Amino acid sequence: MRWRGQEKRLSGGEEHTTNNKMELTAAIEGLAALTRPSTVVLYTDSSYVRNGIMSWVKGWQANGWQTKDRKPVKNADLWRKLVEEEKRHEVTWKWVKGHNGDHYNEIADDLATSAAREIAGR
């Protein structure tokens, strides 16, 4: 997280998870860490998260958290949390290509890798 030249690094993980769950959790926790409603530019290398929040979620909500095929939305609990956190803020969602030299994306990847190693070593 960056604001006015200040930087705060957050990381974490859990056992028995998926990349998509952790990508969602990162966005949720980043927004939840803000103590007041804010204007946010949220960068992600996850097309799943960006497309989901910008396009798919409205349809899922209208369909009772089911896909067009009437199947339950995967990670619906996390999507609901993300929707609630996003409501508190004015969020612009930006996609960056992962593992492509973006300085802050590389920091995020290092934090995620370290957290995963810590969880695996328990």
Side-chain angles (χ1 to χ4, degrees), residues 103-117:
H103 176 70
Y104 295 105
N105 186 260
E106 296 298 330
I107 291 171
D109 187 60
D110 288 345
L111 290 167
T113 300
S114 295
R117 285 187 180 136

Side-chain angles (χ1 to χ4, degrees), residues 80-93:
R80 285 183 180 106
K81 287 180 185 177
L82 184 55
V83 166
E84 288 305 308
E85 288 300 331
E86 185 191 38
K87 283 181 186 177
R88 296 179 44 232
H89 309 288
E90 183 180 321
V91 182
T92 300
W93 294 88

Side-chain angles (χ1 to χ4, degrees), residues 18-35:
T18 66
N19 184 60
N20 285 341
K21 286 181 180 182
M22 290 288 84
E23 295 281 4
L24 283 164
T25 300
I28 293 163
E29 294 299 326
L31 293 173
L34 300 170
T35 58

Side-chain angles (χ1 to χ4, degrees), residues 35-82:
T35 58
R36 62 177 185 242
S38 303
T39 300
V40 176
V41 179
L42 198 151
Y43 292 86
T44 180
D45 64 3
S46 172
S47 294
Y48 173 69
V49 171
R50 185 174 179 276
N51 291 338
I53 198 67
M54 292 185 69
S55 300
W56 307 331
V57 80
K58 288 181 179 143
W60 294 337
Q61 288 173 310
N63 289 337
W65 290 97
Q66 293 183 346
T67 65
K68 289 179 183 178
D69 299 335
R70 295 288 179 210
K71 294 181 182 171
V73 171
K74 290 181 181 177
N75 305 313
D77 58 330
L78 294 173
W79 284 111
R80 285 183 180 106
K81 287 180 185 177
L82 184 55

